[in-house]
Amino acid sequence: MLDLDRLRALHAVSVHGSVGAAADVLHVTTSAVSQQLAKLERETGQKLLERHGRGVRLTDAAELLVSHAERILSLVEQAQADLEAHRGKVVGELSMAAFPTATRGLAPAALAALRAGHPGLRVVLNEKDPVVSVPMVARGDLDLAIVQDWGNRPLSIPDGLLRGGICEDVADVALPADHPLADRDVVELKELSGDPWICDAPGTICHDWLTHTLRTIGGEPHIDHMAQELSSQLALAAAGLGAVVLPRLGRCDVPAGVRLVELRPVPSRSVYAVWREQATRRPAIRAALQAFRAAA
């Protein structure tokens, strides 16, 4: 009889590329993963890993076993979801991620409501960009992710994931107070296309959207400064160092040296949750979605 925890360890090594990375995802030590794999080799009578440079690679026997493990683990998850649904209670553990402005603007109220309404549920939240969190949900590393995409830059959602809408959000532009357009009520984005900008790092949803959008209206953008937190971006704007796209959902205290101006066309983004299809019947998924919608 194959042990599920050992299959899960092998599957994690296959997905994440190393024993160490698998251990991080499974929240165990590297030694524990190695021991699980050694026991699985004894169970199967097959060598599953072989040295490859400084790392390891899966043998043909391991690849065959992984292909079965994916289906087995998927069925186990579906069975667990069906049992939770049959029980009809919101219990267990829900691992989830949210992008930064949702962590600020939605998560506090949503998680507090879940804790008050469902004391048998433990929610573990990590702040992650959708570029990172969506693949984690697809792999089974997370149960749920709160993500976003912009109207002109949709996010690619892998097969096997479902989505549920939470809210629509719009953004303004934050300009240094001495900017020539800072006293306007509305500014056209193309009027700012040649300005220096402050944004998140390359590879994030917001950076990629801003780069794409500015390129469509005025050539190569000048993103001079990059910071993860909106409060840091606004501090740089207050120092006169550039403009910031500021979603209303994530709005924080605006420094005195910054003016908020509406943009045309209005930047709009969709905020929604994604989860694996097999987990649809989990009451915890439905409860979390309801809580985030209420917070919005």
Side-chain angles (χ1 to χ4, degrees):
M1 179 78 65
L2 294 173
D3 183 273
L4 280 177
D5 287 336
R6 293 163 197 168
L7 286 178
R8 190 172 283 110
L10 180 64
H11 182 259
V13 172
S14 172
V15 170
H16 299 285
S18 71
V19 173
D24 289 340
V25 170
L26 296 173
H27 306 293
V28 297
T29 65
T30 301
S31 175
V33 173
S34 296
Q35 290 176 27
Q36 292 278 40
L37 296 176
K39 291 176 181 177
L40 187 58
E41 286 186 330
R42 290 196 293 272
E43 281 181 350
T44 60
Q46 301 272 356
K47 186 172 180 59
L48 301 176
L49 298 180
E50 56 189 15
R51 290 287 179 186
H52 181 66
R54 295 185 177 181
V56 296
R57 66 181 176 191
L58 273 63
T59 64
D60 290 343
E63 295 285 2
L64 177 63
L65 193 54
V66 164
S67 68
H68 290 289
E70 290 176 347
R71 295 193 296 274
I72 293 168
L73 295 173
S74 176
L75 287 170
V76 169
E77 181 179 23
Q78 187 170 347
Q80 291 172 334
D82 288 345
L83 283 172
E84 285 188 25
H86 180 72
R87 186 178 178 184
K89 294 183 178 180
V90 181
V91 294
E93 181 170 307
L94 186 73
S95 61
M96 65 176 299
F99 63 95
T101 50
T103 300
R104 173 194 292 273
L106 297 177
L111 298 187
L114 284 170
R115 184 175 62 180
H118 307 288
L121 176 68
R122 178 175 182 254
V123 180
V124 180
L125 173 70
N126 280 285
E127 184 176 281
K128 293 185 182 296
D129 191 82
V131 172
V132 176
S133 64
V134 169
M136 291 182 70
V137 174
R139 292 194 303 261
D141 301 335
L142 290 170
D143 296 319
L144 182 76
I146 309 300
V147 302
Q148 52 131 338
D149 58 22
W150 298 85
N152 63 339
R153 193 74 169 175
L155 184 65
S156 176
I157 302 298
D159 292 339
L161 296 190
L162 300 181
R163 54 187 285 173
I166 294 175
C167 66
E168 295 294 316
D169 189 27
V170 300
D172 303 303
V173 64
L175 298 174
D178 60 357
H179 191 283
L181 303 179
D183 292 331
R184 296 256 296 269
D185 293 328
V186 178
V187 64
E188 294 284 335
L189 185 58
K190 62 184 178 183
E191 297 178 86
L192 301 170
S193 61
D195 280 35
W197 288 86
I198 303 159
C199 189
D200 210 337
T204 60
I205 287 284
C206 290
H207 185 283
D208 291 352
W209 168 80
L210 182 61
T211 301
H212 169 78
T213 301
L214 291 175
R215 281 173 179 165
T216 62
I217 61 173
E220 195 63 23
H222 305 289
I223 301 178
D224 292 347
H225 305 289
M226 286 159 280
Q228 184 173 359
E229 295 185 359
L230 282 174
S231 56
S232 299
Q233 295 179 21
L234 290 174
L236 293 169
L241 298 174
V244 175
V245 173
L246 184 61
R248 294 181 185 178
L249 178 63
R251 187 175 294 180
C252 51
D253 293 335
V254 178
V258 170
R259 300 289 183 271
L260 298 183
V261 182
E262 291 186 14
L263 280 170
R264 295 292 185 273
V266 178
S268 176
R269 62 180 181 171
S270 298
V271 179
Y272 53 96
V274 296
W275 63 92
R276 288 180 301 284
E277 187 175 2
Q278 302 97 304
T280 297
R281 296 193 65 202
R282 284 191 66 187
I285 296 288
R286 297 197 298 272
L289 186 58
Q290 182 179 5
F292 273 86
R293 285 172 173 166

